């Protein structure tokens, strides 16, 4: 049965939960086909919009990685409290 965007968001967050860099391509499978790719991509965009993940590409044409945002060391929050 098809997976929902919210379900895919949860899976992405579980995968990057320990703040490691996870290759972008590892979230896509041939078995899920085009619909799975669309759901995964929309889920990533939603997580990015909610500032729960970062999408990182270290240099031009380098692999793209997904990483959880670490809200515990947000420098803007720390500087605002001082």
């Amino acid at each position: 049965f098809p997976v929902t965007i919210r379900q895919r968001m949860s899976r992405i967050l579980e995968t990057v939960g320990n703040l490691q860099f996870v290759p972008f391509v590892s979230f896509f499978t041939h078995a899920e086909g085009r619909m799975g790719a669309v759901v995964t991509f929309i889920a990533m965009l939603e997580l990015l919009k909610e500032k729960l993940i970062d999408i990182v590409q270290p240099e031009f044409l380098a692999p793209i990685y997904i990483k959880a945002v670490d809200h515990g060391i947000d420098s803007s929050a720390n500087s605002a409290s001082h």
Side-chain angles (χ1 to χ4, degrees):
F1 67 97
V3 64
T4 67
I5 292 170
R6 286 281 167 200
Q7 289 169 330
R8 186 54 45 96
M9 288 170 67
S10 294
R11 194 184 109 208
I12 292 167
L13 286 175
E14 288 171 8
T15 303
V16 299
N18 59 0
L19 304 178
Q20 67 179 348
F21 288 90
V22 180
F24 177 80
V25 296
S26 70
F27 291 98
F28 300 92
T29 66
H30 288 288
E32 291 184 343
R34 187 173 293 151
M35 186 58 73
V38 170
V39 168
T40 299
F41 192 70
I42 292 172
M44 286 180 180
L45 291 176
E46 187 64 28
L47 290 168
L48 188 64
K49 183 177 92 174
E50 293 178 12
K51 296 182 169 64
L52 296 173
I53 62 168
D54 280 330
I55 299 177
V56 181
Q57 184 179 30
E59 59 188 40
F60 184 67
L61 296 179
I64 299 170
Y65 295 94
I66 308 298
K67 179 182 179 296
V69 171
D70 185 359
H71 293 288
I73 58 170
D74 187 337
S75 60
S76 62
N78 289 339
S79 62
S81 64
H82 291 91

